[in-house]
Amino acid sequence: MKLGKFKDPLPIPPVLKPKWKSGDYTYYEVSMVETKQSLHSDLPQTTLWGYEGIYPGPTFEVEMGERVFVKWKNELPAKHLLPIDHTVHGAEKEKPDVRTVVHLHGGRTEPASDGYPDAWFTNGFAVKGPIFEKEIYEYGNQQTARTLWYHDHAIGLTRLNIYAGLAGFYLIRDRYERSLNLPSGPFEVPLLLQDRTFHDDGTLSYPDQPENNTSGIHPSIITSFFGDTILVNGKVWPFFEVEPRKYRFRFLNAANARFFRLSLDSGQLFFQLGTDSGFMEQPIGVKTLLIAPAERLDVIIDFSNLGGKAIVLKNDAPTHFPIGDPVNPETTGNVMEFRVTMPLSSIDTSMVPAYLGPIKWLQTNSAQKQRFLELSEEKDLYGRSLFLLAKKMWDDPITENPRLGSIEIWNFVNTNGDDHPIHIHLVQFQILGRRAFDVDFYKKTKQIRYTGPRIQPEMGERGGKDTVRCPPGHITTVIIPFFPFTGQYVWHCHMLEHEDYEMMRPYIVLPPY
Ligand SMILES: [Cu+2]
């Protein structure tokens, strides 16, 4: 079905209201329910799963240090909306079809509240996964102002549960952020980017077979999902009416596998202020923004002096990044349209600050341990592609076991053709660089022969990160402080089809020596 562009206004998810708030703590309840929503005016209503019955879910607004408790409640039907592959680990036939668990992405969270993939639960907590610990999660929010997001993380189902609609924003605020005089209130807008494909009746389309599937398995996991429409905050190609002034946007790539490389067709700059984990030292002005699944970007766009103009936010990241099909200029090459049609309601006194504050850079010589972790492509029993971390399966014994309070350097050695966004739970790390190496020689000898100099992280990556792009043929190096909790977490590729099919590993933070 051909859907018109820029026909529907951009929705902005409502801010979630707590059930209880005192000086000591805040308590929320969030129900996951099946719902119907219009995602485009030419499309019949779509059946979705939403936190609090809306897609995307409502936005949490919390203060740094605020003690937050959330009871995540599964009130979903017993039948899944989408095709489950029972050969995928954790999604075996005897398991309930509809299992959920919530991860706060980028949160510094205790293990029992981190949404471990095996800590899933069904409607009413009737059935629980093997390491389920508690119904009410606790978030300490001991983190400076930043953009987090929450989403489903159930083992073997994450790609399907997020595709069905289970994702939303979680913003941490602090006093320093307020002192910066950034655009705020109606001029600060979260933008959640996804791609979807629809059947003519409005229902979500998710393939139940990979292309050229000879596995004989049905439904069967696919290598990666790419939709033919782009949605922002749950609307296909929306428009957003703005005033001629500065706006602050929190970009989140919540797509299953699609990268976005964003630009404005007016040719103007984005001013990027922050990364996954808060502000950079200073803003940068850039014409394009590359954002991989799960990454966030904190950006100001200045619409001053553009009254009456319509500006299209474009995307030109190939489908399969970095080497893949070019986007379709009519469809996936477009994200949304900004219309500078609103009168200026007040003088714009907000700022793009010249300086945002110091970052404590971690030094290589402070690291106690260095690890080399291969990202490899294999074939499964049925001839399907299978991506692995360090050549290990999800069920293999834990091999990454840093000590609490230690600093480690992890090198992601990518020997396959995809750029994988690698996410490590609990921690915020810094990117030290990337370096090309001889892949064939490595595959034969397991030895590293570099073929180029170390490349500095891109300007827009020079800050705290929890997800890092690992391009093919490169070793991507990050430095990671492990604190403030001991216990079992996961690290994984955030392309959801990879994560669900073995490109995820447990790791454990051990007590200090
Ligand atoms: Cu991947």
Side-chain angles (χ1 to χ4, degrees), residues 114-133:
D114 194 52
Y116 197 86
D118 280 326
W120 50 264
F121 51 92
T122 63
N123 189 321
F125 299 102
V127 189
K128 295 164 190 163
I131 77 150
F132 176 93
E133 273 190 62

Side-chain angles (χ1 to χ4, degrees), residues 350-426:
S350 70
M351 305 257 297
V352 179
Y355 183 68
L356 292 161
I359 288 177
K360 198 175 156 233
W361 297 106
L362 299 169
Q363 300 304 320
T364 305
N365 61 11
S366 65
Q368 280 87 358
K369 197 174 172 77
Q370 172 146 231
R371 297 175 196 272
F372 288 85
L373 302 156
E374 185 176 352
L375 318 179
S376 65
E377 182 172 7
E378 322 277 339
K379 292 282 175 216
D380 73 3
L381 278 176
Y382 311 101
R384 302 178 295 185
S385 272
L386 174 70
F387 294 94
L388 296 183
L389 300 172
K391 299 264 185 188
K392 300 267 190 323
M393 308 282 276
W394 167 249
D395 260 345
D396 287 332
I398 292 177
T399 41
E400 287 69 61
N401 50 4
R403 297 277 168 180
L404 182 70
S406 72
I407 293 174
E408 295 199 357
I409 290 173
W410 287 19
N411 299 278
F412 302 113
V413 182
N414 188 351
T415 56
N416 66 84
D418 274 347
D419 189 330
H420 301 269
I422 298 293
H423 171 46
I424 310 173
H425 285 217
L426 174 69

Side-chain angles (χ1 to χ4, degrees), residues 387 418-422 493-495 498-499 503:
F387 294 94
D418 274 347
D419 189 330
H420 301 269
I422 298 293
C493 176
H494 221 288
M495 288 164 82
H498 297 184
E499 163 180 356
M503 205 172 191

Side-chain angles (χ1 to χ4, degrees), residues 484-497:
F485 298 107
T486 55
Q488 194 165 317
Y489 292 92
V490 295
W491 67 285
H492 59 88
C493 176
H494 221 288
M495 288 164 82
L496 304 181
E497 286 75 22

Side-chain angles (χ1 to χ4, degrees), residues 61-225:
E61 291 251 9
V62 309
E63 189 71 12
M64 177 182 173
E66 183 178 350
R67 223 175 147 202
V68 167
F69 294 86
V70 184
K71 186 173 189 178
W72 300 101
K73 300 197 292 185
N74 177 336
E75 294 175 4
L76 294 165
K79 192 179 169 341
H80 210 290
L81 281 180
L82 299 163
I84 297 174
D85 178 347
H86 294 292
T87 68
V88 168
H89 175 273
E92 296 82 7
K93 267 219 164 64
E94 58 276 15
K95 300 259 172 70
D97 276 3
V98 178
R99 297 172 285 110
T100 58
V101 65
V102 184
H103 172 57
L104 176 59
H105 184 119
R108 195 176 280 162
T109 307
E110 55 157 1
S113 298
D114 194 52
Y116 197 86
D118 280 326
W120 50 264
F121 51 92
T122 63
N123 189 321
F125 299 102
V127 189
K128 295 164 190 163
I131 77 150
F132 176 93
E133 273 190 62
K134 54 176 164 183
E135 293 187 1
I136 299 175
Y137 275 14
E138 177 173 358
Y139 305 110
N141 300 304
Q142 298 288 345
Q143 293 170 287
T144 53
R146 64 192 62 195
T147 313
L148 308 184
W149 63 300
Y150 63 97
H151 62 77
D152 194 77
H153 215 309
I155 188 85
L157 293 178
T158 298
R159 70 196 186 287
L160 306 175
N161 289 356
I162 293 180
Y163 193 77
L166 295 177
F169 279 97
Y170 186 110
L171 306 179
I172 301 182
R173 308 240 176 230
D174 66 16
R175 206 182 288 172
Y176 181 68
E177 176 192 32
R178 281 189 289 275
S179 77
L180 290 171
N181 192 22
L182 303 172
S184 62
F187 313 116
E188 182 195 0
V189 178
L191 298 174
L192 181 143
L193 312 183
Q194 291 178 318
D195 55 344
R196 295 287 182 267
T197 300
F198 299 98
H199 297 295
D200 287 349
D201 65 359
T203 53
L204 289 171
S205 165
Y206 187 92
D208 56 4
Q209 292 278 357
E211 271 176 63
N212 313 317
N213 179 34
T214 53
S215 69
I217 295 161
H218 184 95
S220 177
I221 189 152
I222 57 170
T223 311
S224 27
F225 172 84

